[in-house]
Amino acid sequence: MGSTEIAIRDRLRDVFAGRHSELRRIAAATDRRGSAGIALIGAEGVGKSRLQAEATNRADPTRHRVIRAVTTVATANVPFGALAEHLPSGLLRSPFTGDALRGAAEALLKPAGKRRLTLVVDDTQLLDEASAALAVQLARRGELFLLTALRPDRRLPRPIGDLWTDGLAEWVEVGPLSRDDVHQVLGEALGGQVEGVLVQRFWEATAGNALLVRELLTAQLEANRLVADDGMWTLRGPFAIPSWLAGLVDERLVAAPPECRAALELLAVTEPICPGVLAELVPADVLEAAEARGLIRIERTNGQELARLTYPMYGEVLRAVTPRLRARRWLSQCASIVEATSQNPVDLARAVSWRLACGQRPSPENMAIAARAACSAMDFELAGQLATAESVAGRAAAVIEPLGYGFLFTGRSAEAESALSGLGRLDHEVDRARVASVRAFNLYFGLDRQAPAEALLAATVDATVDPATRRRLVARQALLRALSDAPQDALELAAGVPDEPEARVAAGLAQVFSGRPHEGLDLLSGGWPDDAPWLPILADLGTVHGLLWTGQFVAAEERSGTGYDRALANRWQFGILVSCLQRGLAARMRGQLRDQITWCREGISIAREQGSNGMLAVLLGLLAHGYALTGKTDAAAHALAEADRLAGVSLRLLGPWTELSRAWVIAARRGDAAAHAQRTARLARDRGAAGFEALALHDAVRLGAPKHAADRLRALAGQSDRCLGHLYATHARAKAEGDAAALAGVSADFAELGSPLLAAEAAAEEAERHRSDGRLAMASTAAARALMFMRHCEEVPRSPALSALATPRLTPREGEIAELAARGLSSREIGRNLVLSVRTVENHLHRVYRKLGINTRGELDALRVLLTVPQG
């Protein structure tokens, strides 16, 4: 293992993620005299010991003395054996008597002085009788706090358990790590950004078990499976399961009865599977025993119960060690049971995959059903494999959609075009129309060939007689026209087929992007067919923009996050890609620049892998904006230049985002950014893109040209009283007229919308207005608010208004006192430290409050950034 891998392992040992509520409960209990202890209850490897260590590391050493008991089988029968290192050696050789107990108590309490003891005990069931009696005695007297941990299937020894029975102590359940926690662990350990799919795979494989996360990461490092491509960590291929990791898992399974082991092996090669199918092959009492031991779980998905291994990583190991002939026999038996008992397409798809895995040939009918079911379930890899097999066998007509979408959505658009165009002229009109529809979709999204896609659709519509088939083709025409920024064409086409789902999405997109976001949001509200999983993604594209145009920033962020989670759970790269863009846009509007850059980088990584140049260009432009506003000028220019090289003819609907970004790159390079923003606004107006026009005009306001934008923003605001343009217009007027009170109101409104960046800029403009008019105290108050909002932007923004912000000026003594007060010291403690009277300290604090525009000590901590700025 190289130096990089060693450094990662060192960081991994120190990473602590999540557990915020548990830490708060422990801290509150240790400070409460009436509390005798807390027991952390959780499964093996969930992170109880790490939580104990983190809680005790955070304890105030001036108020608590932490000691740890050593519990082993060897010390379990030795009086005071667990506390041997804290007690005189003579006590360990004497019998356990009352005198010995009193002596041990004195020996523990004396070093603590006035501090309260915290005794940390792991494997509490191994605590010897004398140590347990001593801990309980001191805990009941309020002199000791017992922080213990145990598994759910273990019991606390009687004298210690009585503390909980008597209500003197409390239980805290320690569950698995969340996906966000796993993300934090991987990110901090690897020291860089981690691809969302990698996080999802780790989280799913380990079920959030902290020990398994650590060991699985170590195994991938040793096997060189983790790759940092342009700073983005990804996993290449399947998980590596070395022998030592398999041994660790096997050690955990060895306690299970032999019949349970067989059931687990069966489940490993077939999961997820209906419990009813399992019950045909495994006795019910064995399944119940495996579930009771926490080895399997039954979950409900889409109205169907499915059995899975509790820790999917166990499945990786079990599949590797299960004899191949046995696995084939189980797969064949399970497939036969499902085919005989179920007509559910998802079940039949599983049966087909089992037959193929054991080298058998499923029926053609089931192959077609399975291919379509895989496509609907967003398993496009499997859909493409099954459809290709059917096409080779001469049955392509039944699997046209899985064939085309299977290749398109796995980044193989050229293969999709080759396979679909190679089908020749099919006998039935409906089948020819289906091929044309899928080909057009692939040409547009996969190959960036808008004109051939639309020409193919138009020719097929003219040649099609069947009314239902024509409606579907026209709906697809409408959708592509909407995405190509031709809203009027899209609306006219959609109006002729209003009941078609794709037409509804097309009309919704056209309405949102042409200045009628509320009407568009109504059309995009949901109800999409299961066999078109890309429709919710495209509908979300319109919905997120509609929410942004109407100032619903937080709702847009939540909606894009939901889409990301859905796509990630299915590992659908196209869905993840679009969701990354949407999350980046929501972060841009909120001024969360670090998040914006993070989501762009993840989306760019996927777009490069998938060959999605249209999406890649938009993401690069958005990344350039984030870089420009965080001072990374060269990186911003490089990203924008690549976006310009890649910009294609499809997805023109999103093109204005790149031009909006260009203004901020120009600003970072000290060019005439306001003029470019105004040109972008005129282009958007010519195209009827009211949302982009309002945003470009507001950028011109922020970049120093409010007078030219104010009138047009008022006109746009008049078109709808429920759009963001109203607030933009108010901001433009307030800035143009130098109205400090109105700027303060604008700042508050932006803060309420959830955009700390825009709130900070308006407050900074208000501060500059006050300062120009000689109102220095009011200027300091407004500047303090601007800085407080900036703290919520994560990265320090470099916009014109904030770059010119003059921070409130504190004297050196005021800054010193404010810093101490922000750290929680009382006026008396500050006075002792600085040799000042309490009254002098209070007077200084009142002047600080007035300058910073706050009223209490509690608000000082939020302004710590101010207190580190050189003053005087």
Side-chain angles (χ1 to χ4, degrees):
M1 184 176 288
S3 58
T4 300
E5 288 76 14
I6 292 172
I8 292 172
R9 291 192 67 171
D10 289 343
R11 287 197 297 268
L12 182 58
R13 283 195 296 269
D14 296 332
V15 174
F16 181 81
R19 313 299 193 202
H20 304 297
S21 62
E22 293 93 334
L23 284 171
R24 284 194 296 269
R25 284 187 65 181
I26 295 170
T30 54
D31 287 338
R32 193 168 58 247
R33 278 289 173 182
S35 175
I38 276 184
L40 304 176
I41 310 299
E44 184 180 2
V46 79
K48 302 184 294 297
S49 299
R50 184 69 179 84
L51 177 56
Q52 284 179 318
E54 188 68 20
T56 53
N57 287 341
R58 296 186 183 196
D60 183 352
T62 65
R63 301 171 60 192
H64 302 278
R65 179 173 187 257
V66 178
I67 61 174
R68 179 175 288 277
V70 179
T71 51
T72 66
V73 174
T75 63
N77 296 314
V78 178
F80 301 116
L83 300 173
E85 63 180 292
H86 306 292
L87 299 175
S89 58
L91 277 173
L92 304 179
R93 294 191 295 269
S94 60
F96 174 35
T97 63
D99 287 341
L101 196 60
R102 283 189 293 273
E106 183 180 347
L108 287 185
L109 294 173
K110 187 174 181 180
K114 294 183 178 180
R115 297 175 297 171
R116 191 183 187 194
L117 274 177
T118 294
L119 176 61
V120 180
V121 185
D122 217 344
D123 291 325
T124 315
Q125 72 278 3
L126 298 177
L127 195 63
D128 62 274
E129 182 183 0
S131 296
L134 175 59
V136 169
Q137 183 186 81
L138 295 179
R140 288 186 178 276
R141 287 176 6 202
E143 295 171 311
L144 179 143
F145 183 85
L146 184 62
L147 181 57
T148 185
L150 71 160
R151 286 163 32 187
D153 58 343
R154 303 287 172 84
R155 285 189 173 187
L156 287 169
R158 177 63 185 274
I160 291 180
D162 288 345
L163 294 174
W164 278 260
T165 303
D166 295 342
L168 298 175
E170 56 187 297
W171 307 94
V172 172
E173 187 170 348
V174 182
L177 297 174
S178 68
R179 190 180 71 196
D180 287 344
D181 295 336
V182 173
H183 196 166
Q184 181 184 341
V185 170
L186 297 178
E188 291 187 17
L190 295 171
Q193 189 173 341
V194 182
E195 186 182 49
V197 171
L198 172 60
V199 176
Q200 184 77 12
R201 290 178 67 179
F202 263 82
W203 184 54
E204 289 178 352
T206 63
N209 184 280
L211 174 64
L212 294 180
V213 170
R214 186 183 71 211
E215 299 301 334
L216 186 60
L217 178 56
T218 301
Q220 305 324 299
L221 290 169
E222 289 185 354
N224 293 316
R225 291 290 173 85
L226 292 173
V227 178
D229 186 7
D230 194 23
M232 176 76 66
W233 286 95
T234 60
L235 179 70
R236 298 305 185 203
F239 281 126
I241 307 293
S243 57
W244 63 264
L245 182 55
L248 174 68
V249 171
D250 198 59
E251 188 177 309
R252 289 179 155 215
L253 296 175
V254 73
E259 58 271 19
C260 273
R261 176 64 179 246
L264 296 177
E265 289 180 357
L266 190 158
L267 187 54
V269 299
T270 59
E271 68 173 343
I273 189 171
C274 174
V277 177
L278 272 184
E280 293 287 328
L281 302 171
V282 178
D285 59 334
V286 172
L287 291 178
E288 292 169 5
E291 185 182 17
R293 288 176 175 268
L295 297 172
I296 69 171
R297 70 182 192 273
I298 309 297
E299 59 184 34
R300 194 165 187 82
T301 303
N302 297 325
Q304 184 181 35
E305 283 194 339
L306 294 173
R308 298 178 186 269
L309 292 167
T310 299
Y311 298 109
M313 200 175 89
Y314 289 7
E316 302 271 358
V317 173
L318 288 168
R319 284 189 290 275
V321 300
T322 300
R324 184 170 299 180
L325 292 177
R326 185 190 303 167
R328 286 183 174 182
R329 172 168 53 83
W330 280 334
L331 289 168
S332 179
Q333 288 174 329
C334 288
S336 297
I337 293 169
V338 168
E339 289 166 349
T341 59
S342 177
Q343 295 299 313
N344 186 312
V346 176
D347 289 341
L348 293 176
R350 291 194 189 99
V352 165
S353 66
W354 295 334
R355 290 248 182 248
L356 293 174
C358 63
Q360 298 175 359
R361 182 71 182 170
S363 70
E365 296 79 8
N366 283 348
M367 283 281 282
I369 291 172
R372 292 193 293 269
C375 197
S376 297
M378 291 176 269
D379 188 349
F380 293 105
E381 190 73 42
L382 177 61
Q385 291 173 2
L386 298 178
T388 300
E390 285 298 276
S391 179
V392 169
R395 295 186 290 270
V399 291
I400 291 166
E401 290 80 7
L403 183 66
Y405 296 134
F407 283 130
L408 166 62
F409 290 129
T410 53
R412 296 179 288 172
S413 301
E415 292 178 61
E417 171 62 10
S418 176
L420 293 169
S421 61
L423 293 179
R425 182 175 175 82
L426 300 177
D427 294 337
H428 299 289
E429 175 186 83
V430 172
D431 293 337
R432 293 194 295 273
R434 288 167 56 210
V435 170
S437 182
V438 179
R439 275 189 70 195
F441 208 75
N442 179 64
L443 286 167
Y444 188 91
F445 282 102
L447 299 175
D448 196 26
R449 296 170 61 189
Q450 176 193 341
E454 294 189 343
L456 176 61
L457 282 176
T460 309
V461 168
D462 291 342
T464 300
V465 176
D466 178 67
T469 304
R470 282 178 61 90
R471 285 196 298 271
R472 287 191 291 272
L473 289 168
V474 170
R476 179 142 293 187
Q477 282 183 301
L479 181 60
L480 298 192
R481 294 305 289 151
L483 292 166
S484 300
D485 196 26
Q488 197 55 45
D489 291 351
L491 288 170
E492 290 175 3
L493 288 165
V497 287
D499 295 332
E500 291 293 328
E502 287 194 8
R504 187 149 55 93
V505 172
L509 285 167
Q511 298 274 33
V512 164
F513 282 87
S514 59
R516 288 169 287 179
H518 289 92
E519 291 88 337
L521 287 171
D522 289 341
L523 287 167
L524 297 168
S525 58
W528 312 116
D530 292 337
D531 61 352
W534 53 87
L535 265 188
I537 292 290
L538 298 178
D540 277 356
L541 188 66
T543 298
V544 168
H545 278 84
L547 293 171
L548 293 176
W549 296 160
T550 53
Q552 301 177 72
F553 295 162
V554 176
E557 184 176 64
E558 292 173 350
R559 183 60 173 257
S560 58
T562 299
Y564 178 81
D565 291 343
R566 182 175 61 240
L568 201 59
N570 290 284
R571 299 182 192 170
W572 182 25
Q573 294 288 65
F574 177 79
I576 299 170
L577 171 60
V578 177
S579 297
C580 282
L581 171 63
Q582 293 174 162
R583 299 195 81 167
L585 292 174
R588 180 203 193 278
M589 297 292 282
R590 295 195 65 198
Q592 302 291 3
L593 300 174
R594 184 185 301 169
D595 284 348
Q596 176 182 336
I597 291 170
T598 296
W599 292 121
C600 286
R601 282 169 50 82
E602 181 169 340
I604 287 167
S605 176
I606 297 170
R608 292 193 195 282
E609 182 183 343
Q610 296 283 303
S612 302
N613 287 342
M615 291 293 294
L616 179 57
V618 180
L619 283 160
L620 284 165
L622 189 60
L623 180 66
H625 172 273
Y627 280 157
L629 273 167
T630 51
K632 303 177 181 70
T633 307
D634 290 343
H638 178 78
L640 188 61
E642 187 180 358
D644 288 339
R645 290 195 299 271
L646 289 168
V649 294
S650 60
L651 289 176
R652 285 192 302 219
L653 188 70
L654 302 176
W657 284 114
T658 302
E659 291 309 308
L660 289 164
S661 299
R662 195 181 310 279
W664 292 97
V665 177
I666 293 171
R669 295 189 145 190
R670 312 296 185 191
D672 192 354
H676 181 81
Q678 290 167 334
R679 285 196 296 273
T680 302
R682 287 194 294 272
L683 289 172
R685 182 179 183 178
D686 292 343
R687 296 162 62 177
F692 283 122
E693 183 187 0
L695 188 53
L697 288 169
H698 189 241
D699 279 354
V701 173
R702 296 169 62 200
L703 291 164
K707 292 182 181 179
H708 298 291
D711 290 342
R712 179 57 185 163
L713 279 170
R714 276 197 294 270
L716 284 172
Q719 295 176 13
S720 172
D721 61 358
R722 297 183 294 166
C723 288
L724 189 58
H726 269 281
L727 184 51
Y728 287 167
T730 304
H731 186 197
R733 181 195 61 76
K735 187 172 180 180
E737 297 176 0
D739 187 338
L743 286 169
V746 167
S747 176
D749 288 341
F750 279 133
E752 187 176 352
L753 290 184
S755 179
L757 172 57
L758 297 181
E761 289 181 347
E765 292 159 356
E766 177 201 352
E768 180 56 33
R769 184 71 262 169
H770 284 310
R771 191 172 301 281
S772 297
D773 293 342
R775 298 184 293 270
L776 299 185
M778 297 179 75
S780 292
T781 299
R785 278 191 282 106
L787 285 167
M788 184 170 61
F789 288 131
M790 286 172 64
R791 285 174 57 83
H792 296 288
C793 295
E794 298 175 340
E795 293 280 343
V796 178
R798 304 291 182 86
S799 66
L802 298 178
S803 296
L805 178 65
T807 59
R809 297 178 67 82
L810 305 181
T811 68
R813 178 63 85 187
E814 287 169 349
E816 190 176 23
I817 290 173
E819 170 67 20
L820 293 172
R823 284 162 45 191
L825 273 68
S826 68
S827 295
R828 188 173 300 279
E829 291 169 326
I830 295 172
R832 279 201 302 268
N833 285 347
L834 303 180
V835 195
L836 298 172
S837 70
V838 173
R839 183 167 184 171
T840 299
V841 172
E842 291 289 347
N843 287 338
H844 277 299
L845 280 174
H846 283 304
R847 284 194 291 272
V848 170
Y849 294 164
R850 187 170 63 252
K851 289 181 178 182
L852 299 184
I854 61 177
N855 298 305
T856 66
R857 286 172 180 266
E859 295 172 275
L860 274 175
D861 186 60
L863 295 174
R864 288 285 285 275
V865 65
L866 276 178
L867 309 180
T868 61
V869 175
Q871 307 289 343

